[in-house]
């Protein structure tokens, strides 16, 4: 609703599905197919349970969705700002320039936030409970993949491929300098000066 676009939520859902697929797929490979003995010994559970706990994906789903959408909106809001309201120099950027400027401004913030969350979630690996180590894997892998791959490469690629339909059906203004309020007032005054009253109508007797 805030972006007045149908293309934005569709891209966000596609990116979110990619993050969830990676997190759930790797968790199944490591814990349910017992590949952790061979590929990830530090992350293996110290319990004796086998398989993936049914509660772990349910617990982590809403957390992953919230974090992924948060990073996504943070990036898209900056693209929207540069495309519709102009950058710091008062110039409306085109789609590609707005994307590059937005990634440059938000990349450090998103990566730092993802790193902090990954370190915080990694503390669950120290637990003896199987379900907590599985939650740790889901959360850490999802956040790391989303910040390092999805927001850095996948989402900018989708926006670039969208070309003129980045915020469809909204139509952004043409790239170029924004008109200030004084310039708008001058244009209105010029239009008013160009206006002339029509000549009076004189009634004549037939």
């Amino acid at each position: 609703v805030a972006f007045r676009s149908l293309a934005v939520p569709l891209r966000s859902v596609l990116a979110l599905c990619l993050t969830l697929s990676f997190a759930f797929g790797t968790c199944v490979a490591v814990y349910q197919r017992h590949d952790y003995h061979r590929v990830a010994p530090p992350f293996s559970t110290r319990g004796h349970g086998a398989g993936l706990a049914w509660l772990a994906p349910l617990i982590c789903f809403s957390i992953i969705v919230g974090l992924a959408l948060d990073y996504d909106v943070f990036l898209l809001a900056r693209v929207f700002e540069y495309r519709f309201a102009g950058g710091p120099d008062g110039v409306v950027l085109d789609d590609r320039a707005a994307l590059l400027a937005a990634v440059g401004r938000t990349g450090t913030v998103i990566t730092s936030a993802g790193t902090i969350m990954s370190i915080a979630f990694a503390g669950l690996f120290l637990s003896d409970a199987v379900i907590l180590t599985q939650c740790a894997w889901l959360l850490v892998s999802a956040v790391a993949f989303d910040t390092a791959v999805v927001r850095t490469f996948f989402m900018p690629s989708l926006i670039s491929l969208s070309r003129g339909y980045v915020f469809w059906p909204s139509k952004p203004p043409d790239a170029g300098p924004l008109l200030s309020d004084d310039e708008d007032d001058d244009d209105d005054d010029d239009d008013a000066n160009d206006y002339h009253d029509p000549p009076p109508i004189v009634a004549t007797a037939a």
Side-chain angles (χ1 to χ4, degrees), residues 6-42:
L6 294 176
V8 169
L10 292 177
R11 284 196 305 269
S12 298
V13 170
L14 185 59
L16 179 60
C17 290
L18 181 62
T19 300
L20 290 171
S21 299
F22 176 83
F24 290 164
T26 55
C27 190
V28 169
V30 170
Y31 291 101
Q32 187 164 318
R33 296 184 178 178
H34 314 293
D35 292 337
Y36 60 82
H37 295 294
R38 187 170 60 254
V39 300

Side-chain angles (χ1 to χ4, degrees), residues 30 47 128-129 183:
V30 170
D128 290 326
E183 292 174 342

Side-chain angles (χ1 to χ4, degrees), residues 34-140:
H34 314 293
D35 292 337
Y36 60 82
H37 295 294
R38 187 170 60 254
V39 300
F43 307 113
S44 62
T45 60
R46 287 184 286 175
H48 300 285
L52 182 62
W54 65 271
L55 193 57
L58 295 180
I59 294 175
C60 298
F61 176 81
S62 59
I63 302 176
I64 295 173
V65 170
L67 291 174
L69 289 181
D70 186 32
Y71 300 149
D72 184 61
V73 170
F74 189 71
L75 172 62
L76 290 177
R78 187 65 70 175
V79 177
F80 183 86
E81 176 187 352
Y82 288 153
R83 191 64 186 92
F84 283 82
D89 54 356
V91 177
V92 176
L93 305 178
D94 58 18
D95 293 337
R96 184 175 183 275
L99 174 62
L100 292 176
V103 172
R105 289 293 297 274
T106 63
T108 303
V109 178
I110 294 176
T111 303
S112 300
T115 302
I116 293 172
M117 296 303 297
S118 297
I119 294 174
F121 291 140
L124 296 175
F125 282 121
L126 302 177
S127 174
D128 290 326
V130 177
I131 186 174
L132 292 182
T133 58
Q134 293 175 356
C135 288
W137 181 278
L138 286 171
L139 295 173
V140 172

